[in-house]
Amino acid sequence: MALAPGTRLGPYEIVAPLGAGGMGEVYRARDTRLGRDVAVKVLPQHLSANPEVRARFEREAKTVSSLNHAHICSLFDVGREGDTDYLVMELVEGETLATRLAKGALPSGEVLKLGAQIADALDRAHRAGIVHRDLKPGNVMLTKAGAKLMDFGLARVTGMEGPSGSLTRTSLAHSPTVAAPLTAEGTIVGTFQYMSPEQLEGNEADARSDLWALGCVLYEMATGKRAFEGRSQATLISAIMTAEPPPVSRLAAASPPALDRLIGRCLAKDPDDRWQTARDLMHELHGMAGGASQVGAPAGQRMEAGRAASRGTQGRMAWAVAAIFALAAAALALVLVTRARAPKHPVQLSLTAPENTQFVDFSSIAAISPDGRSVAFTAPDSSGRFDLWVQPLDSPEATRLARTGGPAEVCWSPDSRNLALLELGVGVLRTVPVTGGTPVKLCDAPSGRGAAWNRDGVIVFGAASHGPLHRIPASGGAPTQATWLDSTRHEASHRFPCFLPDGEHFLFASMPPGPEGFDIYVGSLRARTTKKVMTAGSAVVYAEPGYVLFRSGDKVMAQRFDTRGLKLQGAPVALSDAPPASDLDAEPVATASNNGRLIHLVAQSPEQQLQWFDRTGVPRGTLSLPAGQWGRPEFSPDDRYVAVQNGDDLWRVDLARSVAVRLTSNGAVNANPVWSPDGARIAFTQGGRGREEIFVMNSDGSGEAQLLPTTDDLFKTAEDWTREGLVFHNIRGETFRDVYLASVSGDTKPTPLIRTRFAEYRARVSPDRRWVAYVSNESGLEDVYIQSFPVPGHKLRVSSRGAGRAWWMPGSDELCYRATSGELMSVKLTRKGDELEAGEPQPLFRFPPGVLGHSMSHDGQRFLTSAVSPSARPRRLRVILDWVGLVKQ
C-alpha cells in the first residue's frame, strides 16, 4: 500500500514517493531527529511475515551499514513500524547509470574514472566479507561527486537466498531485479545480463562474481551495448555460458586497446582466470585513466606515433616477426584453453509452479513442446482444483488454459500448437489449443496411461490402467485398438506410447514388470507385430538427435537408438537424478524437445508427518515423531496403535505416547499393513525382485514374518482382515486387478470375491461383515462400489464422479471416501431386506494441500493423515538447455 505524505515510520516522515521496484517502494523522507532528508525503502510483506528472515535481514543489514565509503550509498537505519519493515538510506541526488546509458556510450575517460570508483567500492565491501551479487547499471547512481553503488548486499539480506538453496516463484517475484520463474539449480539472485556463469549454475557467488558483473558494466559503458544478448532468457543464459562478446575496440574505436584485455579478463568463464581482487582491477583502471590523454589524441597523431614506434633495424624486424608467430601460437593456445575451460555442464534451470499452486508427484503431468519454447503442465491450486498451464521459457508468466478434472497427463502435437490431455480425474481424452479455447473431448479414457501424437494427426493412448493401447484421429472419431496383449507373456497392460520420427512406429511399456524392470516394445500403426527393444525402469521417450530417455534406478538415462534397425546402440549415460517413481507404473521420467531441451520433475521424497483431523476437518495436532517418509497409517482394532510404512520398513506407533517401534528391517520394501481382528498380527506386502508377496507377522515385532500362500501372480496387496480370512487384490493379465479372500492358515486356495474384466481393488469389509466396499473402473471412472460379502450378490455403486479408498463407519450404515476432487465425502446407507440403498454423497471437508494419505479411526470421529512437512522443499521442473552435451562428455 502506498504511503501518503506525512506518514510517520518511527522518526521518519514521508515526503514524497521516489519510485518502486521488486524490493519495495522508495520514498523521500525527513529525519525529524537530525533534520536531514533520507531515502526510505519499505520492504515487501513477505519479509515482515517471516520472523526468521526478518531477523537475518536485520543482522546482515548491520554488516552492510558498516560500509562507510565515498562511493557506496550508506545504509543509515533499519526499522519496523507496526507490520511494516523499512530501510533508511542516504538520499543520493543524480541519475542512475542505466538512465545515462539509454543515451549512448560514455567517453573513454569517464568509463575509466567511474569504473575505478565502482571497483574501489567493491574492494571496500569485499574486504568486509560482503558480496554485492546484483551489480548492474540500475544499481549505480551518478552524482556530482562520482559513482555511488546502491543496494549493496541487499540481494542477500532481503532473504532472497533461503536456507534451502532454491527460489520459488513467490520469492522471485520479490527479488530486487528478477521477476521470472526460471531459475538455475541452486540459487540464482541477480539480473541475467550481468550474472556470472557460476551463479547461473547455482553455485555460491564470491568476489570474482562481482568482478564479472563489473566487466559487463564496463563493456556497456564503453560500447553502449550489453556484453551478452539473447532473444529469450534461455538463449541469453546460453550466450553467457558459451559465447564471447565482440571486442570493445571493434565497437568503440576510440577506446584504449588495453581496455579489451581488462574487460576480457573480467569476463573469463572460469573465476580463476579473472581478476582476483577488485583492488587490482581498480589500480589497473587508474593506470589506464592516467594515460587517457593519448587515448583522446587525434587519429593522425596516433598513426604517426605508430610509425615512429615501428622504425628500427633489420634485427628488430626479425624479432617482430618472431613475436608475431609467438603471439599467434599464444592466441591458439588461448582458444584451446578457453574451450577446455568452458562450462563442464549444460545450463540447468528450474521452473516453479505458479503462485498458490504446486506440482504433484506424477512426471507425466508436464511436457516440453517439440519446438522447445514452452512447457505445459497441470497443477492444483490451494483448494485442490487442477488447471492446465503453459509456461513459455522466455516469459515470466504462465498462462492458465483450462480447468481439468484432476491431474492430467500432457502430450503436445508435433507442431506445438495443441495439447492432448488424459484427465485422470474424469477419465477422458481431450485436446486443447495452446492459444486457448474450449477443450474438445475425443473419447473416454477411464484411467489414462500416456498418449502420443504423430505428424499425421493420430493419437495413440492408453485408455485404462489395464488393456492394450488405442488410436484415435486428433480431429475426432471412434477409437480403435492399436496393440494386442500377448497372453504368453502374461501381459496385463500396454501404456505410455511415444512415436518415433517416421510417425508409424511407436515405443511403449508392457505391464507387469519383470525382475529387471518394464519390457519396452516397438509397435506399428500398420501391423500387429511388436518387437522388444529393451528393459528399463520406466517407459521410454524418444528424443532427437536419436536417443531414448528412461529411468534406471534413481537416474535419468539416455542411450542411442537406431530408428531404422529399431535397436539400442552404445552404452547408456546418466543425465540427472530422477524423482521418486510415482503410483503410475512405468510412467516416463522426462520429455525432450527437438532442439536439445529436456525437462523432468525434481521431487525429493518429502519429509512427512502424521497429523490429526476431526470429522469436521479441524486440525487436532501432530504426532511428535521425527520427520520421515511416513505413509498412510492403519489403525489397530482398538485404535491404540497404527501400523505405518516409513521408508522401506513398517513401524508400530503408540498413539498415546507418540512412540514408534520398527517392525521390519529386511532390506525389502514393506508396505500396506493390515491388522488381524484381534490386533495380534499384521499382514503386509513385501516387494522385491519384480514380485510382491504377502507376509504375516506378530504385531509386537516378535518372531519371524511368515509367507502367506496366495496366488502365483507377481503382485499381491493385502487390503483387509476379517474372521473369514485375508482380503487382498492381485494383478494378472486377463482381468488386471481382482479381489480375493485367502485363508490365513494357508490350508486352502484363495477364492475370488470380485473378478471381472475391469480393475477392482482397495477392498474394505463392513463392521457387520455383510458387505465389502471396493474401487472399480467399470463405469469409466474409478468409483466406490458395495457388494455383498462373503458371497457375491447384490452390488451398489456409491460414488459417481471418481473416488479413492473408502472407510466404514460403526454400524455399517455410513461410508466415507475421498473424492477425486479432494473432498472427503459421506454416504448414508439404508437396508431394504438383503439389499442396500445409498443416499446422496455429502461433503464433510477438504483436506489441505500436502495430505498424501489418510485413515479413519474405527469410531469414525478422527482421521490420521500423512502430510508433507512444512519444511519440505516444493517440487519443481528441471530444464536442461543442451542435454546432449551431457552425453557427449
Side-chain angles (χ1 to χ4, degrees):
M1 178 182 296
L3 300 180
T7 302
R8 293 288 290 265
L9 297 176
Y12 307 102
E13 182 177 334
I14 299 299
V15 175
L18 292 176
M23 212 174 67
E25 297 91 9
V26 184
Y27 298 88
R28 176 188 289 268
R30 185 72 175 171
D31 185 342
T32 59
R33 295 172 304 179
L34 301 179
R36 64 179 177 181
D37 285 345
V38 295
V40 171
K41 179 168 288 189
V42 177
L43 299 175
Q45 184 63 32
H46 80 287
L47 292 179
S48 303
N50 190 324
E52 180 183 348
V53 172
R54 188 170 65 247
R56 188 176 72 215
F57 161 75
E58 293 175 351
R59 183 171 60 250
E60 298 194 26
K62 291 179 181 178
T63 304
V64 176
S65 68
S66 68
L67 298 179
N68 185 14
H69 190 275
H71 297 297
I72 295 178
C73 178
S74 299
L75 177 64
F76 292 149
D77 194 6
V78 179
R80 181 175 176 84
E81 184 74 21
D83 294 331
T84 303
D85 287 286
Y86 60 90
L87 301 169
V88 182
M89 299 172 293
E90 174 187 0
L91 182 64
V92 180
E93 303 284 359
E95 66 176 356
T96 66
L97 178 57
T99 301
R100 170 59 186 83
L101 287 174
K103 305 171 186 176
L106 278 63
S108 296
E110 196 171 351
V111 172
L112 299 176
K113 180 185 72 172
L114 294 175
Q117 293 172 354
I118 298 171
D120 191 12
L122 289 175
D123 175 59
R124 172 68 183 88
H126 292 167
R127 285 187 285 114
I130 301 173
V131 181
H132 192 290
R133 290 176 173 80
D134 194 22
L135 174 59
K136 60 178 182 178
N139 280 339
V140 177
M141 187 69 77
L142 303 182
T143 71
K144 293 180 180 179
K148 282 271 190 180
L149 197 49
M150 311 282 288
D151 282 350
F152 213 116
L154 295 183
R156 178 181 179 89
V157 301
T158 51
M160 295 311 303
E161 291 186 331
S164 65
S166 65
L167 296 182
T168 65
R169 175 184 290 264
T170 301
S171 67
L172 279 165
H174 294 288
S175 167
T177 54
V178 180
L182 204 56
T183 69
E185 290 299 290
T187 301
I188 285 186
V189 176
T191 303
F192 284 116
Q193 283 87 355
Y194 309 94
M195 292 176 70
S196 64
E198 62 270 18
Q199 286 174 286
L200 292 175
E201 289 184 326
N203 297 325
E204 181 69 21
D206 61 18
R208 297 170 299 179
S209 305
D210 280 350
L211 300 186
W212 166 283
L214 180 52
C216 294
V217 171
L218 289 171
Y219 188 96
E220 194 168 344
M221 291 166 64
T223 67
K225 299 180 179 296
R226 288 176 172 170
F228 301 98
E229 297 283 1
R231 295 186 306 273
S232 65
Q233 290 174 344
T235 56
L236 170 61
I237 293 171
S238 179
I240 293 172
M241 301 296 290
T242 61
E244 302 291 342
V248 170
S249 57
R250 184 186 302 174
L251 303 178
S255 65
L259 190 59
D260 276 339
R261 178 184 61 83
L262 181 143
I263 293 177
R265 188 170 175 185
C266 287
L267 299 182
K269 308 297 185 187
D270 190 332
D272 291 338
D273 291 338
R274 294 179 206 148
W275 299 95
Q276 296 300 292
T277 68
R279 191 171 189 82
D280 290 342
L281 182 55
M282 177 191 68
H283 287 314
E284 189 77 9
L285 287 164
H286 275 311
M288 292 173 60
S293 58
Q294 178 64 31
V295 175
Q301 296 180 21
R302 293 202 304 272
M303 290 176 63
E304 180 56 34
R307 294 191 189 99
S310 68
R311 299 189 186 105
T313 64
Q314 292 295 321
R316 283 169 147 175
M317 181 65 73
W319 279 109
V321 172
I324 289 172
F325 280 104
L327 287 172
L332 177 61
L334 178 60
V335 170
L336 295 176
V337 168
T338 302
R339 289 180 179 175
R341 289 178 176 172
K344 297 180 180 179
H345 300 287
V347 180
Q348 299 190 22
L349 313 170
S350 284
L351 184 66
T352 59
E355 190 172 2
N356 296 322
T357 69
Q358 60 181 329
F359 293 125
V360 296
D361 281 329
F362 300 145
S363 297
S364 55
I365 56 91
I368 192 167
S369 59
D371 62 14
R373 295 181 178 180
S374 302
V375 175
F377 55 86
T378 55
D381 59 21
S382 57
S383 68
R385 293 180 173 86
F386 280 77
D387 290 303
L388 171 65
W389 297 82
V390 171
Q391 171 69 65
L393 293 184
D394 61 355
S395 169
E397 297 298 330
T399 300
R400 188 177 76 87
L401 291 186
R403 173 137 288 173
T404 63
E409 300 165 11
V410 180
C411 161
W412 286 88
S413 63
D415 61 6
S416 302
R417 296 180 178 179
N418 295 277
L419 290 160
L421 304 178
L422 277 170
E423 298 189 39
L424 303 181
V426 294
V428 297
L429 173 65
R430 304 181 196 268
T431 59
V432 184
V434 175
T435 54
T438 303
V440 177
K441 178 182 175 180
L442 295 183
C443 64
D444 291 328
S447 302
R449 294 296 186 268
W453 193 329
N454 77 356
R455 62 193 182 192
D456 298 320
V458 176
I459 298 176
V460 172
F461 64 104
S465 55
H466 68 289
L469 297 174
H470 287 76
R471 58 184 288 180
I472 191 171
S475 57
T480 57
Q481 195 165 333
T483 62
W484 285 258
L485 300 179
D486 188 337
S487 59
T488 64
R489 298 197 296 253
H490 304 288
E491 287 185 318
S493 171
H494 292 165
R495 49 181 61 189
F496 297 109
C498 175
F499 274 108
L500 294 176
D502 63 8
E504 174 195 344
H505 293 91
F506 52 90
L507 302 166
F508 64 90
S510 173
M511 283 279 290
E516 303 301 321
F518 301 95
D519 288 337
I520 307 300
Y521 291 85
V522 59
S524 171
L525 295 179
R526 298 181 182 177
R528 290 184 55 163
T529 57
T530 60
K531 174 185 175 181
K532 180 180 175 181
V533 295
M534 65 185 298
T535 299
S538 70
V540 303
V541 170
Y542 177 82
E544 294 290 1
Y547 289 86
V548 286
L549 308 175
F550 56 93
R551 173 193 296 274
S552 180
D554 60 354
K555 298 294 182 182
V556 178
M557 309 292 289
Q559 190 168 358
R560 274 283 185 187
F561 188 77
D562 178 1
T563 56
R564 291 188 176 182
L566 302 177
K567 59 183 179 180
L568 294 172
Q569 294 179 328
V573 176
L575 302 181
S576 183
D577 293 331
S582 75
D583 292 337
L584 300 180
D585 291 329
E587 186 180 30
V589 71
T591 67
S593 66
N594 294 331
N595 58 356
R597 296 178 178 179
L598 177 151
I599 69 161
H600 70 85
L601 186 69
V602 177
Q604 298 176 341
S605 296
E607 289 189 340
Q608 293 151 221
Q609 58 190 12
L610 298 181
Q611 184 177 9
W612 289 106
F613 289 86
D614 66 18
R615 186 178 167 85
T616 64
V618 176
R620 295 298 183 181
T622 301
L623 294 184
S624 56
L625 300 171
Q629 306 303 313
W630 300 103
R632 179 183 56 83
E634 185 73 15
F635 283 91
S636 63
D638 58 8
D639 287 343
R640 292 179 55 194
Y641 302 93
V642 291
V644 60
Q645 181 183 0
N646 183 11
D648 290 340
D649 289 315
L650 293 180
W651 295 66
R652 187 190 73 242
V653 179
D654 185 326
L655 296 176
R657 300 186 299 133
S658 287
V659 174
V661 176
R662 188 193 298 267
L663 298 179
T664 63
S665 56
N666 48 34
V669 178
N670 303 279
N672 304 302
V674 173
W675 293 80
S676 64
D678 60 2
R681 290 178 292 173
I682 294 175
F684 62 97
T685 304
Q686 185 179 108
R689 298 185 178 180
R691 294 189 66 92
E692 288 179 352
E693 299 289 355
I694 296 176
F695 284 76
V696 176
M697 67 183 302
N698 294 330
S699 62
D700 61 3
S702 63
E704 295 290 330
Q706 302 296 319
L707 174 67
L708 179 66
T710 52
T711 65
D712 60 357
D713 301 296
L714 291 179
F715 299 96
K716 282 86 67 173
T717 301
E719 299 203 317
D720 203 357
W721 194 335
T722 75
R723 296 177 187 175
E724 288 76 14
L726 185 80
V727 178
F728 71 96
H729 88 260
N730 66 350
I731 297 179
R732 65 170 57 236
E734 297 82 5
T735 54
F736 196 55
R737 295 181 192 265
D738 301 312
V739 178
Y740 278 75
L741 180 66
S743 168
V744 180
S745 62
D747 54 358
T748 59
K749 292 182 64 176
T751 58
L753 285 178
I754 311 166
R755 184 179 182 185
T756 72
R757 63 187 181 90
F758 303 105
E760 297 97 5
Y761 64 118
R762 294 177 177 169
R764 307 283 294 196
V765 178
S766 62
D768 62 8
R769 303 185 357 256
R770 296 184 58 187
W771 309 95
V772 57
Y774 62 96
V775 173
S776 172
N777 65 355
E778 67 176 80
S779 68
L781 297 177
E782 291 192 339
D783 274 306
V784 174
Y785 290 77
I786 295 176
Q787 187 160 290
S788 57
F789 177 85
V791 178
H794 174 67
K795 184 172 70 173
L796 173 69
R797 182 178 174 183
V798 175
S799 62
S800 60
R801 297 182 180 179
R805 188 183 304 272
W807 284 266
W808 290 92
M809 292 288 288
S812 306
D813 57 357
E814 182 183 357
L815 198 69
C816 292
Y817 65 88
R818 187 172 180 176
T820 305
S821 64
E823 289 182 302
L824 190 69
M825 310 295 289
S826 170
V827 177
K828 297 293 185 181
L829 303 172
T830 56
R831 290 183 177 84
K832 287 196 173 182
D834 293 332
E835 297 184 357
L836 283 181
E837 288 187 355
E840 187 70 21
Q842 299 296 323
L844 293 179
F845 63 89
R846 184 186 297 274
F847 285 114
V851 170
L852 304 178
H854 59 281
S855 287
M856 186 178 72
S857 60
H858 288 86
D859 62 10
Q861 300 305 307
R862 298 184 298 169
F863 292 88
L864 188 59
T865 68
S866 170
V868 176
S869 171
S871 62
R873 294 180 63 181
R875 306 175 191 91
R876 61 192 190 281
L877 295 175
R878 176 175 290 144
V879 184
I880 304 177
L881 294 185
D882 181 19
W883 67 268
V884 181
L886 294 172
V887 179
K888 293 180 179 179
Q889 293 174 26

